[in-house]
Amino acid sequence: MKAYHLNGHAGAGRLVQVDVSKPEPANGEVRIRVEAVSLNYRDLLILDRAGQGELNGRVPLCDGAGVVDAVGSDVVQWQVGDRVAASYFRDWISGPFKASYIASALGSNALDGMLAEYVVLPATALVSVPAHLSAVEAATLPCAGVTAFHGLVARGGMGKGDTLLVQGTGGVALFGLQFAAALGARAIVISSSNEKLARAKALGGSILINYRDTPDWDVALMKATNGAGASHILELGGPGTYDRSLRSVASGGKIVQIGVLTGFGPKPDLARLQWENADIIGVTVGSLEHFAAMNRFLTEHAIHPIVDRIYGFDEVAEAYAHLRTGSHFGKIVIRF
Ligand SMILES: NC(=O)c1ccc[n+]([C@@H]2O[C@H](COP(=O)([O-])OP(=O)(O)OC[C@H]3O[C@@H](n4cnc5c(N)ncnc54)[C@H](OP(=O)(O)O)[C@@H]3O)[C@@H](O)[C@H]2O)c1
């Protein structure tokens, strides 16, 4: 079968297509014929880290969906032909997070990911693909979709009458926007592009701010909400956005701490949290249980993920390059 491996080479050669033998499922395992994978911002960070050689031979990408192709003995919950997606953390099935789950993230330090024609995973690490979604759409869900759902819905309790701020129009942001629209919450979108803001409006965004034209977007947000602020904030930027997020949070609001788009290590002044009785919710993707709950939500609300562009299996370097431009709206997918 064909797969991609990371290596320590410079530039586009850091991702190489290789021919390797098709893996066989052992007891309790399932082999998936992968139909589509999607890219996340974390995959750029991992690609850059691969330059130091520490990820040589690792199959990248956490997001993928496909069809069960073979099952090992003792597997009762899946049959050949079932449509499935892999959960981000192989070992986080349900319940609270444990630090030990980090090592079970697909396509990172310790485990191979989904950028291969066939992948073998434990039967317990998969969810059914909602019937209304194509493989391309399902491949967008495991990281960006689950992160937004876990933070905003499962932990954040977002609902009717709430106001959500999303930063940018990438994968996590647009899932958040779609969830807000489905729940009857008002959505505020900040973006670098007026054209993207117009598209976000069509998805339910009601307060639209261009953060290039209006760097003080927190001031504009407060004005547009008559001083109330946002009850829920998808904090995706990190050091470049955190202070403004703190100044945008409503009384009793929740900042869902997720992203590093402007770098790591924000040093925010947290005093406003206590004045506003607001909370920070820290999120690392989510569990298989969160994924299954999100899939029920997607089905109930007939939500289709927003796919920006679809690349072929031989166009992986182009897909990564497109993600790096930041010009996408929603998710970038590779269809096999
Ligand atoms: N904690 C977790 O478990 C977790 C899970 C998933 C993702 N993340 C993190 O969340 C972030 C988003 O991930 P993603 O995969 O959705 O990324 P993405 O699809 O690559 O999103 C990129 C978009 O973010 C927007 N953006 C960039 N800089 C911005 C800024 N300073 N202010 C506001 N928006 C900005 C831009 O949209 P516009 O062009 O519209 O401005 C850009 O196109 C990343 O930092 C990622 O590492 C964390």
Side-chain angles (χ1 to χ4, degrees), residues 40-42 45 143 147 167-173 190-192 196 211 236 241 258-262 283-285 323 326 328 330:
N40 293 282
Y41 187 80
R42 57 87 92 167
L45 301 175
C143 181
T147 298
Q167 298 175 343
T169 55
V172 178
I190 63 167
S191 171
S192 62
K196 289 182 176 184
Y211 63 79
L236 301 177
T241 53
I258 289 174
V260 293
L261 286 168
T262 66
V283 164
T284 323
V285 193
L323 180 70
H328 56 288

Side-chain angles (χ1 to χ4, degrees), residues 149-175:
F149 187 84
H150 171 200
L152 293 173
V153 185
R155 299 259 300 283
M158 182 171 69
K160 200 169 172 57
D162 284 327
T163 300
L164 170 68
L165 163 66
V166 301
Q167 298 175 343
T169 55
V172 178
L174 290 194
F175 276 112

